[in-house]
Amino acid sequence: MAEQRWTVVVVPHGSGGSRTLQLSRRALKIVASGIGVLTLATVVLGFTIVSKSVDLTRLERLERRNQALVEEISRAQQNLAVLQDTIAAISNRDQQIRLLAGLDPIDPDVQQAGIGGPIGPSSERELLLGETAEGQRALQLGMELSSLLRRANLVAASFDVVVDSLQTHKSRLERTPSIMPTMGWLTSRFTRERFHPIHHEARPHQGIDVAAPIGTPIVAPADGRVIDVSTNGGYGKMLTVDHGNGVVTRYAHCSKILVKVGQRVRRNEKIALVGKTGLATAPHLHYEVIRSGRFVDPWTFILPDIIVD
């Protein structure tokens, strides 16, 4: 059986005769295969070129992103250094305030709040980051930031303790007599024995006498509560103020009492007026301080104005 053939007639558009081309079935398959291979090669080559172009674009973007990350880490490290200096300054000020508040300084080892690297096996994330210099810097930055947060929390907790202590001290100082209760001249000091101007015999003088004109204001030397207003034969019109912490003050020979029992008074608040009631030869204030049931020298509770203010 003769092989099947195909005839291809090529007719030109211009002048000239047409041409015929005979192709066998085998030749046609070879031509078709060649066209298919050429088409496939063209597609593969195009895909490779496009893929390589995409990879190059992605690589350039990754490089730019990596550079931006490096710059951001560098800025973060600079800010962290500034923050470390700030925390150190706050810690130093905290130590000073703790001393003023009557608290012990924080132990230096505790103050460092466990500065150091991590203990134990590294995680997969840490291992991956450790493969590059930028990753190592990021890990170090994270450790330093964690340490700084611990120190900041420690200082914050310390400030809370300091505030509580200062509040307690403030309340105690407000209730501690510290000023002269009236304006005048000191005429008699606290003594275990002195010659009494009326009884003409040696007796203890358990307070101080401050001479002043009648009507001169008498003020509370500290915060407290009035616990007694009475008239005593020798002391005349007198009042007593309880300042807490076992400290009581007493004011005698007053011409007028301006407060009543149970009333709370503040330092520098007017509570009475100077007089000469009771056994007194001239207008004056007899001022006593009693601590834990014992008379003490009131002069030790009168501080210079520069300290009181």
Side-chain angles (χ1 to χ4, degrees):
M1 181 177 177
E3 182 180 8
Q4 188 176 5
R5 292 175 176 273
W6 282 267
T7 300
V8 178
V9 178
V10 179
V11 179
H13 288 282
S15 60
S18 60
R19 299 177 62 185
T20 61
L21 179 63
Q22 291 187 356
L23 297 174
S24 65
R25 185 174 183 179
R26 182 179 180 184
L28 189 60
K29 287 182 177 180
I30 292 174
V31 172
S33 298
I35 293 174
V37 169
L38 181 61
T39 302
L40 180 61
T42 302
V43 171
V44 171
L45 180 60
F47 178 79
T48 301
I49 293 174
V50 171
S51 177
K52 186 174 290 293
S53 176
V54 171
D55 288 342
L56 289 174
T57 302
R58 183 180 301 171
L59 181 61
E60 291 176 356
R61 183 173 180 82
L62 288 174
E63 289 179 351
R64 290 197 302 270
R65 184 182 300 173
N66 187 60
Q67 181 61 34
L69 179 61
V70 170
E71 294 174 356
E72 191 63 29
I73 290 176
S74 179
R75 280 194 294 269
Q77 286 180 320
Q78 295 174 3
N79 293 334
L80 184 63
V82 174
L83 190 56
Q84 286 174 332
D85 292 339
T86 302
I87 292 293
I90 294 175
S91 296
N92 291 334
R93 182 56 59 88
D94 176 64
Q95 296 291 74
Q96 296 172 353
I97 296 177
R98 287 181 70 89
L99 293 177
L100 292 176
L103 299 172
D104 293 331
I106 298 178
D107 185 270
D109 293 334
V110 176
Q111 191 177 19
Q112 293 303 310
I115 290 179
I119 299 176
S122 300
S123 65
E124 181 180 358
R125 170 179 167 277
E126 292 172 341
L127 292 175
L128 289 174
L129 288 174
E131 293 177 356
T132 63
E134 292 76 16
Q136 292 174 5
R137 291 176 65 186
L139 283 174
Q140 182 63 31
L141 187 63
M143 288 188 295
E144 292 177 358
L145 183 58
S146 297
S147 174
L148 197 60
L149 287 174
R150 291 194 297 271
R151 292 189 64 188
N153 289 332
L154 178 67
V155 173
S158 176
F159 270 122
D160 288 339
V161 175
V162 167
V163 168
D164 291 341
S165 179
L166 285 176
Q167 187 63 39
T168 301
H169 279 271
K170 178 176 180 291
S171 177
R172 181 166 59 84
L173 291 174
E174 287 175 345
R175 291 182 285 111
T176 300
S178 59
I179 62 174
M180 182 73 82
T182 192
M183 299 295 293
W185 299 268
L186 181 66
T187 57
S188 184
R189 290 182 176 273
F190 178 89
T191 179
R192 297 300 175 186
E193 186 176 287
R194 71 155 190 173
F195 187 78
H196 197 281
I198 295 179
H199 293 290
H200 303 290
E201 62 181 358
R203 289 187 176 185
H205 190 242
Q206 297 173 324
I208 60 174
D209 290 341
V210 181
I214 292 178
T216 302
I218 300 172
V219 299
D223 295 0
R225 183 173 62 88
V226 179
I227 60 173
D228 180 62
V229 174
S230 60
T231 299
N232 181 285
Y235 280 179
K237 292 181 180 180
M238 58 171 285
L239 76 149
T240 305
V241 178
D242 185 358
H243 302 281
N245 298 317
V247 178
V248 173
T249 54
R250 185 179 292 165
Y251 314 81
H253 307 304
C254 304
S255 61
K256 185 177 182 180
I257 307 297
L258 305 177
V259 293
K260 59 184 179 180
V261 174
Q263 181 176 337
R264 294 196 172 275
V265 296
R266 303 296 300 271
R267 177 181 283 126
N268 275 318
E269 182 178 345
K270 190 185 300 184
I271 57 176
L273 303 177
V274 171
K276 56 176 295 186
T277 57
L279 295 178
T281 58
H284 72 284
L285 166 67
H286 177 76
Y287 173 48
E288 296 176 347
V289 176
I290 305 168
R291 183 171 59 187
S292 301
R294 300 181 62 181
F295 290 94
V296 295
D297 187 356
W299 198 253
T300 61
F301 285 86
I302 299 173
L303 304 179
D305 291 341
I306 190 172
I307 296 178
V308 175
D309 294 341

